[in-house]
């Protein structure tokens, strides 16, 4: 508690603080952003700690951060990666608690990323095909439109029927959760491509295939990457649901176990992990976006100036 | 208007329109007539300015001549060939920026060649030459969003020139520019036009622009657009915008346009009210 308050006191004006150190503006800006993020989280945690200190937050139900983050090795013990309880395997063998945490995070993160990649590729391809071939549209689009409002949760049994347990059903869930929306979004992006772009290509003698490959696809990519980023958090949500139904190990499985064994500390510890991972993966995708879409100007600065 | 009696048209003119009309969304409830009975000849190397109130169908006519849309009546030829679709011979330059933001300037300029699968060395050479003609050699490797509005339109002109078109169709290309830049762009366009020998059909609603540029000014009526009058301009170039002859021409064009603008306004008000 005391340490949280102390760090809060040191942080309030990161921007001016950093300005005096003579750092480059870019570095200063990202450090400042990081400072504000830390301050925001610190504020939230501080209120929680305060509620605990005055006895309003029951530590058995709402253990404050210093409790659930206080003993990480203790928490990590619960991140069992499967094989240790199998017959013939010595429980003392297998990965150390920290390795198990890393493996659990890796497994869940990989499912999210692979699912995202498959969903993006598949839905862009299908969306483009739908606009390219009239017959394909007539055959496929109505079904996609009908299925898109179905909650991904409804697909969970299907995932288990088809794929059993393991990585496949979790990845399938991520793909399903994103696919329909992204197909429809691809189509509407295609319809919104500037007429002038298409007409320029037409006057230069481009064929339909060339117009799609060289004008329409690059023109819709920026918006689609934004859609992908918006869906990233959705992917994190469904992957937990999928994992909580016994697909082996994963963060969702840990949460489910924590619920079943009534371990609020473990729940909050895992939530903190997931939050951090979601944040990191969004940052990663933003880096990808900047590299792939070098031509898209940043608009955030304009908004910040308001 | 008669249309098929012109099937054996044999004029050498760059563009010939006979009885051209366009009704958008024809046969539906939303049908509306944008153009009616347009007869227009454009000689090779001629600079024709189309002037009219906004919404009178000037852009529509350019789209028809470019072959991007089909007329609903009448016929259009370009150098004796009936216009049936887009052709690199007829380049259209749009009002809004139409440069591809994901390509560099030189890649934009040589886009037409890359469509044909030309090798990079050739594309670069053609782009370099076209950019030199618009005075932007040093912008080869820039991206469109690094350029000013005027520079972007010059790149768009370079891209059109790279196709070696016989007809340049320009749809209010300088409308988004400030007055000083626009004046410079007009001078620059006249140079390019003289070098290229192409015919130019230039749409504007600025009377000053017509006075500065035109060999002939075609004045449109309010919607549906018809040709109200065609005014030849014999002033020598370079033109002094303050010379008495320019003033007289400006006054004449203003008079011709005024009643049409009034009519267009009245119609829009009626539409809004009804
Ligand atoms: N693609 C289109 N579909 C339907 N109507 C159109 C289309 N383009 C233009 N129009 C209509 O045709 C009329 C003439 O438009 P336009 O040629 O753009 O006029 P101008 O260029 O002279 O301002 C307007 O009423 C406009 O709404
Ligand atoms: Mg127009």
């Amino acid at each position: 508690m005391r340490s949280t308050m102390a760090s809060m006191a040191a942080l309030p004006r990161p921007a001016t603080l950093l300005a005096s150190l003579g750092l480059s503006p870019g570095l200063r800006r990202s450090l400042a952003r990081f400072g504000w993020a830390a301050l925001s989280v610190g504020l939230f945690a501080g209120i929680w700690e305060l509620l605990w200190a005055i006895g309003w937050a029951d530590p058995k139900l709402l253990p404050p951060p210093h409790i659930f983050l206080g003993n990480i090795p203790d928490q990590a013990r619960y991140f069992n990666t499967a094989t240790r309880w199998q017959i013939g395997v010595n429980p003392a063998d297998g990965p150390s608690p920290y390795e198990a945490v890393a493996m659990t995070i890796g497994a869940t993160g990989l499912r999210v990323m692979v699912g995202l990649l498959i969903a993006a590729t598949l839905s862009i391809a299908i969306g483009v095909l739908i606009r390219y071939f009239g017959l394909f549209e007539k055959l496929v689009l109505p079904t996609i439109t009908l299925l898109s409002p179905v909650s991904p949760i409804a697909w969970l049994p299907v995932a288990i029927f088809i794929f059993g347990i393991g990585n496949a059903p979790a990845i399938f869930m991520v793909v399903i959760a994103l696919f329909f929306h992204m197909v429809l979004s691809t189509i509407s992006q295609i319809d919104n491509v500037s007429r002038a772009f298409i007409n320029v290509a037409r006057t230069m003698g481009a064929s339909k295939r060339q117009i799609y490959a060289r004008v329409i696809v690059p023109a819709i990519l920026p918006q689609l990457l934004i859609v992908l980023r918006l869906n990233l958090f959705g992917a994190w949500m469904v992957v937990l649901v999928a994992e909580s139904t016994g697909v082996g190990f994963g963060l969702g499985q840990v949460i489910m176990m924590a619920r079943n064994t009534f371990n609020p500390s473990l729940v909050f510890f895992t939530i903190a992990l997931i939050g951090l991972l979601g944040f990191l993966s969004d940052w990663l995708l933003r880096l990808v976006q900047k590299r792939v879409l070098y031509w898209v100007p940043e608009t955030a600065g304009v908004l910040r100036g308001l | 208007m008669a249309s098929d009696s012109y099937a054996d048209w044999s004029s050498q003119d760059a563009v010939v329109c006979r009885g051209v009309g366009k009704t958008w969304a024809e046969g539906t409830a939303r049908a509306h007539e944008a153009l009616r009975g347009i007869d227009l000849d454009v000689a090779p190397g001629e600079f024709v300015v189309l002037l009219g109130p906004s919404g009178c169908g000037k852009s529509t006519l350019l789209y028809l001549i470019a072959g991007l849309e089909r007329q609903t009546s009448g016929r259009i030829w370009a150098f004796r060939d009936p216009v049936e679709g887009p052709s690199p011979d007829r380049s259209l330059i749009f009002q809004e920026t139409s440069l591809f933001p994901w390509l560099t300037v030189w890649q934009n300029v040589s886009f037409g060649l890359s469509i044909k699968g030309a090798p990079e060395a050739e594309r670069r050479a053609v782009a370099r030459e076209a950019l030199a003609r618009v005075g932007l050699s040093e912008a080869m490797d820039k991206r469109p969003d690094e350029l000013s509005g005027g520079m972007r339109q010059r790149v768009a002109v370079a891209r059109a020139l790279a196709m070696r078109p016989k007809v340049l169709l320009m749809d209010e290309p300088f409308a988004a520019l400030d007055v000083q830049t626009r004046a410079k762009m007009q001078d620059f366009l006249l140079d390019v036009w003289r070098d290229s020998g192409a015919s130019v059909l230039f749409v504007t609603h600025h009377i000053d622009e017509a006075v500065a540029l035109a060999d002939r000014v075609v004045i449109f009526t309010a919607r549906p657009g018809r040709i109200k009058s065609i005014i030849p301009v014999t002033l020598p170039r370079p033109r002094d915008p303050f010379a008495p002859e320019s003033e007289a021409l400006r006054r004449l064009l203003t008079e011709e346009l005024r009643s049409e603008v009034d009519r267009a306004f009245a119609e829009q008000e009626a539409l809004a009210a009804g």
Side-chain angles (χ1 to χ4, degrees):
Chain A
M1 163 95 198
R2 194 168 299 134
S3 68
T4 320
M5 297 299 276
S7 64
M8 273 173 67
L11 274 171
R13 315 238 50 197
T16 37
L17 190 80
L18 294 165
S20 58
L21 295 178
L23 299 170
S24 81
L27 189 64
R28 210 186 306 160
R29 218 176 307 121
S30 41
L31 277 176
R33 203 182 302 149
F34 178 77
W36 282 111
L39 182 63
S40 163
V41 173
L43 192 68
F44 180 71
I47 292 173
W48 196 345
E49 297 282 358
L50 194 71
L51 290 177
W52 167 78
I54 62 174
W56 283 9
D58 183 347
K60 287 203 201 64
L61 298 176
L62 292 170
H66 83 269
I67 293 182
F68 69 76
L69 293 178
N71 194 351
I72 292 178
D74 196 40
Q75 304 277 24
R77 273 190 303 116
Y78 295 102
F79 286 69
N80 241 323
T81 39
T83 53
R84 273 197 283 174
W85 59 68
Q86 281 178 4
I87 297 166
V89 176
N90 182 347
D93 291 349
S96 73
Y98 283 112
E99 280 168 12
V101 171
M103 281 171 70
T104 311
I105 289 174
T108 304
L110 201 69
R111 288 166 190 153
V112 169
M113 290 303 157
V114 170
L116 222 54
L117 207 67
I118 295 177
T121 319
L122 206 63
S123 49
I124 292 175
I126 301 280
V128 167
L129 286 178
I130 282 177
R131 269 293 170 268
Y132 197 95
F133 297 109
L135 180 65
F136 189 74
E137 166 169 356
K138 291 195 187 88
L139 288 176
V140 172
L141 187 55
T143 311
I144 288 184
T145 314
L146 280 176
L147 290 178
S148 67
V150 176
S151 161
I153 307 301
W155 288 95
L156 189 56
V158 182
I160 295 167
F161 298 155
I162 301 180
F163 294 108
I165 64 164
N167 282 324
I171 292 172
F172 172 82
M173 286 294 289
V174 172
V175 172
I176 273 289
L178 305 192
F179 173 75
F180 298 106
H181 297 163
M182 285 197 66
V183 171
L184 296 183
S185 165
T186 303
I187 294 172
S188 89
Q189 302 305 339
I190 292 176
D191 294 345
N192 282 329
V193 172
S194 152
R195 296 284 105 193
F197 283 174
I198 294 171
N199 281 332
V200 164
R202 284 176 68 201
T203 46
M204 298 196 171
S207 64
K208 184 175 173 184
R209 201 181 55 74
Q210 285 172 320
I211 289 175
Y212 269 81
R214 286 154 174 259
V215 179
I216 291 180
V217 170
I220 63 175
L221 270 186
Q223 279 303 313
L224 283 179
L225 256 160
I226 289 172
V227 172
L228 196 67
R229 254 184 72 202
L230 292 177
N231 278 311
L232 175 67
F233 299 122
W236 274 102
M237 289 174 208
V238 292
V239 86
L240 292 188
V241 174
E243 287 175 350
S244 69
T245 59
V247 294
F249 57 88
L251 290 168
Q253 178 257 333
V254 173
I255 290 221
M256 189 47 69
M257 184 186 63
R259 180 189 139 179
N260 293 340
T261 57
F262 197 77
N263 187 346
S265 271
L266 185 56
V267 171
F268 287 120
F269 178 70
T270 316
I271 286 179
L273 271 184
I274 294 165
L276 199 63
L277 289 173
F279 181 81
L280 283 179
S281 54
D282 183 56
W283 175 74
L284 213 72
L285 212 55
R286 227 166 32 217
L287 282 190
V288 172
Q289 190 175 346
K290 253 191 221 143
R291 279 207 74 103
V292 178
L293 306 175
Y294 45 81
W295 73 86
V296 179
E298 297 214 34
T299 51
V302 180
L303 291 176
R304 214 169 289 132
L306 292 177
Chain B
M1 289 270 156
S3 49
D4 278 323
S5 55
Y6 296 98
D8 54 352
W9 189 261
S10 64
S11 159
Q12 290 294 341
D13 276 346
V15 176
V16 175
C17 300
R18 283 294 175 273
V20 170
K22 173 74 180 177
T23 303
W24 290 103
E26 193 177 42
T28 71
R30 291 182 300 110
H32 63 280
E33 191 179 12
L35 282 176
R36 183 189 296 174
I38 302 293
D39 292 327
L40 180 64
D41 299 344
V42 179
E46 191 182 20
F47 202 123
V48 174
V49 170
L50 308 181
L51 192 62
S54 74
C56 73
K58 306 179 297 291
S59 300
T60 303
L61 183 58
L62 287 198
Y63 275 63
L64 298 180
I65 296 172
L68 293 168
E69 298 281 349
R70 288 295 282 172
Q71 66 271 25
T72 43
S73 61
R75 308 222 21 205
I76 303 173
W77 294 263
F79 294 100
R80 299 171 99 164
D81 295 326
V83 170
E84 261 141 22
S87 151
D89 281 350
R90 281 166 277 120
S91 276
L92 181 54
I93 295 170
F94 300 83
Q95 172 179 349
E96 70 268 42
T97 329
S98 54
L99 301 180
F100 302 126
W102 54 88
L103 299 180
T104 61
V105 164
W106 81 264
Q107 287 167 334
N108 263 292
V109 171
S110 61
F111 185 81
L113 288 172
S114 74
I115 287 291
K116 290 187 201 135
E120 177 168 340
E122 183 191 340
R123 281 186 281 139
R124 270 186 183 275
V126 169
R128 191 170 295 123
E129 195 209 316
L131 282 168
R133 280 162 84 186
V134 301
L136 280 179
S137 301
E138 74 292 351
M140 280 282 280
D141 294 305
K142 288 216 159 71
R143 302 207 165 273
D145 60 293
E146 297 174 89
L147 306 179
S148 69
M151 285 159 93
R152 269 182 238 167
Q153 282 306 57
R154 269 148 78 187
V155 174
V157 172
R159 174 170 67 183
L161 292 175
M163 304 302 288
R164 303 199 173 284
K166 297 184 190 139
V167 180
L168 263 178
L169 306 165
M170 308 184 81
D171 191 0
E172 307 196 34
F174 308 146
L177 306 180
D178 59 81
V179 178
Q180 289 85 354
T181 313
R182 196 189 308 144
K184 278 218 176 304
M185 292 294 283
Q186 289 162 1
D187 293 342
F188 143 79
L189 176 62
L190 287 172
D191 290 344
V192 167
W193 164 64
R194 214 170 290 121
D195 292 349
S196 70
S199 308
V200 177
L201 266 127
F202 188 103
V203 166
T204 183
H205 56 252
H206 281 288
I207 288 172
D208 289 339
E209 208 156 31
V211 172
L213 296 173
D215 285 330
R216 274 194 302 158
V217 183
V218 179
I219 295 178
F220 279 71
T221 67
R223 200 166 71 89
R226 279 149 297 151
I227 292 179
K228 178 175 184 177
S229 49
I230 298 183
I231 296 168
V233 181
T234 48
L235 303 178
R237 294 187 175 92
R239 289 178 185 164
D240 172 8
F242 302 109
E245 296 86 350
S246 298
E247 284 295 351
L249 178 60
R250 196 173 291 123
R251 188 165 303 128
L252 173 64
L253 295 177
T254 310
E255 283 303 318
E256 287 284 308
L257 262 183
R258 180 173 296 142
S259 57
E260 294 312 321
V261 175
D262 289 348
R263 267 191 45 210
F265 251 82
E267 184 187 320
Q268 278 159 16
E269 273 170 11
L271 268 177

